[in-house]
Amino acid sequence: MKKLLFIVLLLSSIQLFSQGLNDYQYVIVPTKFNDFKVENEYRLSTITKFNLEKMGFIVFYENTDIPSEITKNRCDILTVNVTKGNKFLFTSLLITFKDCYEKIVHQSEVGKTKEKEFKVAYPIALDEAFQSLFALNYKYNGTKKSIAEPVVEVTLPKTTVPVEKPKASLPPPVSETTDYSNLLFAQPTANGFQLVDSTPKVVFKLFKTDSPTMFIAQKGNQNGVVSLKDGSWLFEYQENEKVVSEKLEIKF
């Protein structure tokens, strides 16, 4: 009976941890973890970002320009850390997620290996630790952690002429001269759109923000923003410490 109760409690704790991660959509990855000496040592930051994106998170390195629509709600973002374990006979790593108050939201199981060469051992141990995270089947549930600002109602005098609320900018129409070989077609998804070419092949994944004319964007391994500026859609991302802007033709 005691053994059965222990198993039930263990499964319940795993479910609670999973629900905690499901409350978050964004994760920041440090370029250098505290337990290591140099940036991206043993490619740990690269591997961490890759695996988190594979899980389904939207991930940013800490030294990149994160869109203000995200950073203004800091408590909607998790920070991940990779720490060394204390296994004497093994090389081991642990993955920890913390919220905006430095409170631990979730920790992975310890990933370990008997491999002695650190260059090989640490990536193996990190991938091993991620296996317990993949097993959670993470899926963002749409929860917002930030505290909403109070809405103040203003009563206008009866003689006041109501001011027309400005309409959100709509995507520009596709003109008759559009080059259809470069045209991307927007297909709705649960969190935004995916942009496909005429192949069809998924080129971009767009994630909604508070603005109808701005999306968080993923193109392969590139992360950036797709936004409407002066009637044109632009994909902007950082490359070699410079902001690169790429014009897109999108049909919504």
Side-chain angles (χ1 to χ4, degrees):
M1 182 67 179
K2 290 183 178 179
K3 184 177 181 180
L4 178 59
L5 180 60
F6 172 77
I7 294 173
V8 171
L9 290 174
L10 179 61
L11 292 175
S12 298
S13 64
I14 292 174
Q15 184 179 12
L16 287 174
F17 274 138
S18 177
Q19 289 174 341
L21 284 183
N22 290 343
D23 289 344
Y24 296 87
Q25 186 177 17
Y26 309 108
V27 181
I28 293 177
V29 176
T31 54
K32 185 181 83 67
F33 296 113
N34 293 334
D35 282 1
F36 295 87
K37 297 180 179 178
V38 299
E39 289 192 350
N40 203 21
E41 192 167 9
Y42 308 115
R43 299 187 302 112
L44 296 184
S45 294
T46 300
I47 296 170
T48 298
K49 184 174 184 292
F50 174 82
N51 281 329
L52 289 174
E53 289 176 341
K54 187 176 179 181
M55 288 178 66
F57 286 104
I58 299 174
V59 189
F60 301 93
Y61 287 124
E62 63 179 355
N63 62 349
T64 57
D65 292 329
I66 303 174
S68 60
E69 286 74 17
I70 295 175
T71 56
K72 72 179 180 181
N73 298 327
R74 182 61 183 85
C75 287
D76 290 340
I77 309 172
L78 289 174
T79 300
V80 68
N81 192 27
V82 174
T83 56
K84 296 179 182 179
N86 56 4
K87 300 290 184 180
F88 178 71
L89 298 177
F90 300 92
T91 298
S92 59
L93 293 175
L94 181 71
I95 305 165
T96 303
F97 297 85
K98 290 185 178 181
D99 64 14
C100 60
Y101 298 105
E102 291 294 309
K103 179 182 177 182
I104 294 177
V105 175
H106 184 69
Q107 283 186 324
S108 72
E109 295 181 7
V110 176
K112 59 186 179 180
T113 177
K114 290 184 177 180
E115 176 65 47
K116 300 299 182 183
E117 185 181 355
F118 287 155
K119 185 177 180 180
V120 178
Y122 279 120
I124 292 176
L126 185 57
D127 280 336
E128 182 70 21
F130 261 104
Q131 296 311 306
S132 64
L133 299 179
F134 286 128
L136 298 175
N137 295 318
Y138 159 82
K139 185 176 181 181
Y140 177 54
N141 59 22
T143 299
K144 290 289 186 181
K145 293 291 182 183
S146 54
I147 300 174
E149 296 182 0
V151 177
V152 179
E153 294 186 359
V154 179
T155 303
L156 299 175
K158 293 182 180 180
T159 55
T160 301
V161 178
V163 179
E164 183 180 359
K165 185 177 180 181
K167 298 180 180 179
S169 300
L170 296 176
V174 179
S175 66
E176 295 180 359
T177 58
T178 297
D179 182 1
Y180 279 84
S181 63
N182 296 321
L183 184 62
L184 298 174
F185 297 86
Q187 299 176 342
T189 63
N191 297 320
F193 298 90
Q194 63 180 16
L195 304 183
V196 300
D197 58 20
S198 58
T199 308
K201 172 187 174 184
V202 177
V203 182
F204 285 86
K205 291 183 179 179
L206 305 185
F207 301 91
K208 293 178 181 178
T209 68
D210 293 336
S211 170
T213 59
M214 177 175 288
F215 300 88
I216 307 304
Q218 289 180 328
K219 180 184 180 183
N221 294 326
Q222 292 176 332
N223 293 303
V225 176
V226 167
S227 59
L228 185 62
K229 294 183 179 180
D230 299 325
S232 298
W233 288 103
L234 299 177
F235 174 48
E236 295 177 304
Y237 59 97
Q238 192 173 42
E239 187 176 79
N240 298 326
E241 299 183 353
K242 293 183 179 180
V243 176
V244 180
S245 182
E246 177 183 343
K247 187 176 180 180
L248 304 178
E249 294 285 351
I250 306 174
K251 181 174 177 60
F252 283 86

